[in-house]
Amino acid sequence: MPSFLSVLNPPASVTVTTGEEILRLSQSGSLYTARDVVVETHPSGGELVVSVGAETTPLERIHLRWPLDLTAETAAPDGLRFLGDAWERGYGDLEWRGLIPERIMPWYFLAYDGRVTHGCGVKTQPGAMCFWMVDSRGVNLWLDVRNGGGPVELGGRTLEAARVAARQSAPGEPPFAAAREFCRLLCANPRLPGQPVYGSNNWYYAYGESSHNEILEDAHLLVTLAPGGENRPFMVIDAGWQPLSGGERLENGICGGPYTGGNPRFPDMPALARGIRQTGARPGIWIRPLAAYPDDPESLLLPLKRAVDPSAMTKVADPSIPEVLQRVEADFHLLHEWGYELIKHDWATCDTFGRWGFQMGAALTTPGWHFNDRSRTTAEITLDLYRAIRRGAGDSLVIGCNTIGHLGAGLFELQRNGDDTSGREWERTRKYGINSLAFRAPQH
């Protein structure tokens, strides 16, 4: 069996997409160059560190390729089976499959030959959006270093795009155990809660139609159903509590700040947190961090053209702007000061990319748009948003809902592993819930 560990060595070829052309870089040891573009692949401590720099050339994607002859294995009766990850949460689409050259496998993949499990991936919190593709003749790693839907302008700085890691299991090690060890390798410094987190979230029957008193009733019911002991359940208030802009009804329970308080159905948010705690539960709350404020000028917003359907897109603040990050941090700090011990944040990936994870594919977003700050990659801008959330939340637990798990690992204690299950449709629960639990469980 050819070893997938070859990805820890400098690749056989590197090409760079600038937006106007494809540059084939010349190799000299671990350096690859063309014009002012320099890509370095430096083996270090069992990893391959991939960095890229350019003075003036705008950059979109870096393609690294390692030759690997899999012809004999794919011709075998059982063949190889591959499991990839997802851009953000799963959508009932995670599975072991055969060799499919056009298959996009974000962040990492596992290959199982019936005896040994091989893992190839990039470590968490990279500077690029990364995905793998495998064909019968080799392994490909694509590093998307774009800024929104256009090239990034590095301006002479060097970007650490990714740290490549690989693992080969011992013969007989079960694939699930091998996957757990590989995920542990990819995230050396996870941020974990002190105790298991469990409880209730009112979205799955209320869907944005709730109130102060209904939340307290839910909390009382939750406590009667929860086990005893010091680890108390969370009662999480989902969308529907936010202040109304101009007094209008919440549209689908979704809107932004300013978060000076709740709305008429939620008149006193700090008092509600205290009330939940008095029932014996722990208070949690939901927020959409990038939803624009009603009076935000266009200069603070992302362009609507990034969306699959611009007419259906809510106005969203641009997370590359320092003022926006300061506001996000302040919003999370306010929720923490109100007494909420868990903060669930939602929509950030869809708001940024203009599409859900199952729509992203290799394109990720609509081409032709960019952030206000064009000098950083989308991955870097997303990481800065996540760090602002982390700072603002203080010691409150943070759960990401529509978040990029590979970027949030190490910053958030919890992340949704799948799209919404349902209090009304069992088929949706079966498809999204069970599939995501099965194939994201190794990340736990």
Side-chain angles (χ1 to χ4, degrees):
M1 174 69 193
S3 175
F4 285 91
L5 296 178
S6 62
V7 300
L8 297 178
N9 301 318
S13 66
V14 175
T15 57
V16 170
T17 305
T18 69
E20 297 180 354
E21 59 183 326
I22 297 176
L23 300 178
R24 300 188 182 277
L25 278 60
S26 300
Q27 182 179 4
S28 176
S30 61
L31 287 177
Y32 304 78
T33 59
R35 297 206 300 258
D36 66 328
V37 180
V38 178
V39 174
E40 181 176 6
T41 58
H42 175 60
S44 174
E47 304 170 1
L48 186 71
V49 182
V50 183
S51 301
V52 58
E55 290 289 339
T56 59
T57 300
L59 305 177
E60 291 199 337
R61 297 176 180 87
I62 305 163
H63 174 210
L64 293 76
R65 180 169 174 82
W66 294 265
L68 192 64
D69 188 357
L70 302 179
T71 306
E73 280 65 37
T74 56
D78 294 328
L80 283 166
R81 291 292 180 266
F82 293 87
L83 174 65
D85 196 28
W87 283 122
E88 39 118 353
R89 56 193 178 185
Y91 289 87
D93 50 3
L94 300 170
E95 62 178 330
W96 289 97
R97 302 178 69 185
L99 183 66
I100 303 173
E102 65 272 19
R103 183 183 182 187
I104 303 299
M105 294 182 285
W107 310 121
Y108 68 81
F109 72 87
L110 300 170
Y112 181 61
D113 62 6
R115 187 180 68 93
V116 174
T117 304
H118 310 261
C120 296
V122 299
K123 302 196 76 171
T124 53
Q125 298 188 27
M129 301 290 291
C130 311
F131 68 86
W132 299 81
M133 302 177 78
V134 181
D135 56 66
S136 63
R137 295 295 183 183
V139 177
N140 306 275
L141 173 59
W142 290 86
L143 307 176
D144 191 322
V145 295
R146 286 178 300 165
N147 174 274
V152 68
E153 299 172 357
L154 293 179
R157 74 180 176 99
T158 298
L159 166 73
E160 183 179 289
R163 288 178 174 259
V164 178
R167 182 182 185 271
Q168 181 172 302
S169 73
E173 182 181 14
F176 184 83
R180 288 194 67 189
E181 290 304 313
F182 183 57
C183 287
R184 194 187 308 273
L185 176 66
L186 295 182
C187 184
N189 297 295
R191 186 182 179 103
L192 304 175
Q195 297 173 307
V197 176
Y198 71 106
S200 177
N201 179 305
N202 75 321
W203 180 260
Y204 299 101
Y205 78 91
Y207 295 101
E209 296 291 338
S210 187
S211 69
H212 180 113
N213 290 335
E214 288 174 0
I215 290 294
L216 291 180
E217 290 173 2
D218 287 352
H220 279 289
L221 174 60
L222 173 63
V223 169
T224 67
L225 300 173
E230 65 175 21
N231 186 20
R232 307 312 301 146
F234 279 93
M235 180 63 235
V236 180
I237 308 164
D238 212 282
W241 67 267
Q242 309 94 291
L244 305 178
S245 55
E248 72 273 18
R249 180 182 179 277
L250 287 172
E251 183 180 353
N252 299 321
I254 309 297
C255 71
Y259 298 102
T260 54
N263 58 53
R265 289 177 292 152
F266 290 87
D268 192 331
M269 297 307 293
L272 182 51
R274 293 193 297 271
I276 293 172
R277 198 173 289 109
Q278 288 168 2
T279 70
R282 301 176 69 185
I285 196 167
W286 174 101
I287 188 173
R288 183 176 182 173
L290 292 180
Y293 288 8
D295 58 352
D296 278 345
E298 290 295 323
S299 59
L300 280 186
L301 305 181
L302 288 174
L304 288 174
K305 66 180 181 180
R306 76 193 186 287
V308 173
D309 181 4
S311 65
M313 194 70 196
T314 298
K315 290 184 177 181
V316 170
D318 184 337
S320 77
I321 299 174
E323 178 184 342
V324 171
L325 290 189
Q326 292 166 8
R327 186 167 77 186
V328 168
E329 183 174 343
D331 289 341
F332 276 75
H333 179 71
L334 178 64
L335 300 183
H336 172 72
E337 289 296 299
W338 283 350
Y340 290 93
E341 300 175 36
L342 180 148
I343 304 173
K344 172 188 174 185
H345 65 96
D346 199 355
W347 284 83
T349 303
C350 185
D351 281 346
T352 300
F353 291 85
R355 59 185 67 188
W356 301 106
F358 66 87
Q359 299 170 313
M360 289 165 68
L364 295 179
T365 187
T366 303
W369 69 276
H370 56 80
F371 293 95
N372 180 271
D373 179 358
R374 305 183 70 167
S375 69
R376 291 178 292 150
T377 69
T378 302
E380 290 181 294
I381 291 168
T382 302
L383 274 169
D384 283 345
L385 170 65
Y386 290 177
R387 289 170 182 140
I389 289 171
R390 178 72 269 162
R391 290 191 302 270
D395 61 1
S396 294
L397 299 178
V398 176
I399 176 170
C401 184
N402 173 233
T403 44
I404 300 172
H406 219 72
L407 298 179
L411 294 171
F412 308 142
E413 289 87 355
L414 305 158
Q415 299 192 75
R416 283 276 300 273
N417 59 29
D419 190 23
D420 285 11
T421 53
S422 174
R424 300 171 181 172
E425 299 177 21
W426 163 248
E427 184 59 23
R428 184 181 182 93
T429 299
R430 182 199 65 77
K431 178 179 180 181
Y432 292 134
I434 296 174
N435 177 271
S436 299
L437 282 173
F439 292 106
R440 280 286 180 81
Q443 299 177 8
H444 180 57

